[in-house]
Amino acid sequence: SLAIGSDGYAYAWGRSDSGQLGNNTTTAYSTVPVRVRDPSSPTDKNKGLKAIQVSAGGDHSLAVGSDGNAYAWGSNGSGQLGDGTYTTRTTPVKVSKPADAPTNFTYVQVSGGYNDSLAIDSDGNAYGCGDNTYGKLGDGTSTSRAMLVKVSKPADAPTDFIYMQISAGAGHSLAVG
């Protein structure tokens, strides 16, 4: 489970055998909320990740930081952390930005699925990474990805179509346009 406290920090509790609590451990679980570590100081338990939105995936966690970056931690066997690796992380790492991202690029929403992740940027583009069984990343393929790929727009969408909200499920994805 994840939440943002009134202090602006991200907190997590529950199972953490894959590091999904983000507190630099793989302890079995925590029955009380623990502060998710600051990505720039992962060993300092007094610092935390300032976030504006969080989402729990299967065995991984995601957040949109107050700096507009997306962060991910936990299991990464399918590339669902979007950092270009398949390495499990016990503290947050930055999710990669698209290669053609403008300098003012920011994320506004993230959603964790079973072994995949989705994100929306401030321009209304949607992205996905991780397991792509059943085409749930929405890029027209079933190829899994360790870096974010752009979700296609519906064939009959108007030219000014943007994504407003996304949600990752176990074997499917949803969006509001």
Side-chain angles (χ1 to χ4, degrees):
S1 299
L2 295 166
I4 299 172
S6 59
D7 58 3
Y9 290 112
Y11 291 89
W13 61 99
R15 199 173 116 216
S16 189
D17 55 337
S18 294
Q20 55 268 53
L21 294 184
N23 67 339
N24 204 28
T25 68
T26 54
T27 55
Y29 62 91
S30 178
T31 59
V32 296
V34 296
R35 186 181 292 171
V36 175
R37 299 285 173 91
D38 182 327
S40 63
S41 302
T43 59
D44 187 347
K45 66 180 178 180
N46 296 314
K47 292 188 176 183
L49 175 64
K50 291 277 191 169
I52 59 170
Q53 192 250 325
V54 292
S55 179
D59 287 329
H60 69 291
S61 302
L62 301 162
V64 175
S66 58
D67 61 1
N69 288 301
Y71 294 92
W73 59 98
S75 179
N76 197 24
S78 297
Q80 63 265 42
L81 300 187
D83 67 344
T85 74
Y86 296 92
T87 304
T88 293
R89 309 288 185 171
T90 60
T91 58
V93 293
K94 275 187 190 177
V95 173
S96 300
K97 293 181 179 179
D100 61 348
T103 55
N104 62 346
F105 181 93
T106 58
Y107 290 103
V108 295
Q109 189 202 347
V110 290
S111 181
Y114 182 67
N115 285 324
D116 61 305
S117 300
L118 300 174
I120 294 180
D121 71 16
S122 58
D123 288 333
N125 296 300
Y127 302 90
C129 63
D131 178 60
N132 199 12
T133 304
Y134 312 116
K136 60 187 174 176
L137 298 184
D139 68 341
T141 75
S142 58
T143 304
S144 296
R145 314 284 182 163
M147 301 278 285
L148 289 175
V149 293
K150 193 177 273 190
V151 173
S152 302
K153 295 189 178 179
D156 59 350
T159 55
D160 62 347
F161 179 89
I162 62 170
Y163 288 102
M164 305 291 291
Q165 184 181 4
I166 42 102
S167 183
H172 65 293
S173 301
L174 302 166
V176 174

